[in-house]
Amino acid sequence: MKLFVDTGSIKDIEAVAALGILDGVTTNPSLLAKEPGDFRQNLKRICDIVKGPVSGEVTATDVAGMLRQGREIAKIDDHMVVKVPLTRDGIRACKTLSGEGIRVNVTLVFSAAQAILAAKAGATFVSPFVGRLDDIATNGMDLIREIVDIYDNYEFATEVLVASCRHPIHIVEAARMGADICTCPPAVIDQMFNHPLTSIGLEKFLADWEKSQAARV
Ligand code: E4P
């Protein structure tokens, strides 16, 4: 399973990239709005750091505007993926941009029916938001299972990019279901490292080692 980080922060992306486990980045307008500077330059910088798929989202809501912005985003770097919302115009833009060889990530997906539309429009990635479904007392991971099953049935090439991950359990469940990618905030990637027995075990190993070395001098 591929692991993407969901942030527009260059500092955070550099830190996760330095771990050597990062496959890509997702951004959205809310995330990029928090960052200083020109968003195109920021996206270019992110592509240079990650050298994997980097999603940048259109803000137009009509198909003509999405196509114009999508083509501009795609020109930033070969690693750029154009993110469009799951609307009628978004699906039309996805079909056209995909036909031009531009990779598209269809975002704001909350149902299996929507995921079928994204696959049929040639999306490279579909982004179901599990955390936001959990927030409204609906099990987000049930949707991932449905989408993975449906895509398997028809061998759709669209990759399932599990978005809005809030904790490592989302990532583990997504991996067990065979989802292709999880994108999560840097803090959730940090949480993946943590286990109290690792810290306790390491502390004990080092203390025993120190003790034995001290006894030898
Ligand atoms: C994914 O592409 C989105 O940017 C993101 O995962 C949304 O997450 P949130 O629901 O935590 O804002």
Side-chain angles (χ1 to χ4, degrees):
M1 189 188 62
K2 285 172 272 188
L3 194 57
F4 289 6
V5 67
D6 191 37
T7 181
S9 159
I10 308 261
K11 191 168 131 276
D12 287 349
I13 292 167
E14 281 175 335
V16 182
L19 297 169
I21 46 89
L22 187 63
D23 300 299
V25 173
T26 49
T27 68
N28 62 40
S30 305
L31 291 171
L32 286 181
K34 291 185 207 162
E35 302 306 319
D38 177 71
F39 80 94
R40 295 172 207 84
Q41 284 175 10
N42 289 345
L43 286 171
K44 174 68 183 152
R45 182 87 198 283
I46 294 170
C47 290
D48 291 342
I49 298 166
V50 179
K51 296 184 175 57
V54 175
S55 290
E57 190 162 339
V58 299
T59 49
T61 53
D62 63 303
V63 66
M66 287 182 185
L67 290 175
R68 194 181 59 252
Q69 291 183 354
R71 288 171 186 137
E72 277 167 18
I73 289 170
K75 269 192 217 141
I76 293 173
D77 191 279
D78 285 349
H79 292 106
M80 284 308 303
V81 175
V82 175
K83 224 176 175 190
V84 301
L86 192 299
T87 59
R88 285 171 177 77
D89 287 69
I91 285 296
R92 287 177 61 192
C94 175
K95 181 79 182 176
T96 302
L97 293 170
S98 300
E100 293 172 10
I102 294 173
R103 290 180 299 170
V104 178
N105 175 356
V106 176
T107 189
L108 290 169
V109 168
F110 294 96
S111 77
Q114 292 178 323
I116 292 170
L117 294 173
K120 288 191 63 66
T124 300
F125 304 105
V126 65
S127 289
F129 280 33
V130 294
R132 292 192 193 188
L133 280 170
D134 291 353
D135 291 345
I136 57 158
T138 303
N139 189 338
M141 294 314 296
D142 287 348
L143 174 60
I144 302 306
R145 190 182 300 283
E146 274 187 283
I147 299 173
V148 168
D149 285 350
I150 292 167
Y151 281 14
D152 280 353
N153 283 346
Y154 295 98
E155 296 180 3
F156 283 130
T158 305
E159 293 189 57
V160 181
L161 197 173
V162 182
S164 187
C165 292
R166 300 278 164 79
H167 45 67
I169 296 172
H170 277 149
I171 300 162
V172 172
E173 287 187 5
R176 293 185 67 181
M177 290 172 188
D180 301 284
I181 307 153
C182 276
T183 189
C184 29
V188 173
I189 294 179
D190 268 348
Q191 288 171 352
M192 291 174 78
F193 279 90
N194 299 339
H195 196 289
L197 291 180
T198 305
S199 316
I200 293 166
L202 182 59
E203 217 172 284
K204 174 92 169 81
F205 284 158
L206 297 181
D208 289 347
W209 181 251
E210 282 304 313
K211 219 186 299 165
S212 78
Q213 295 306 297
R216 282 167 209 219
V217 275

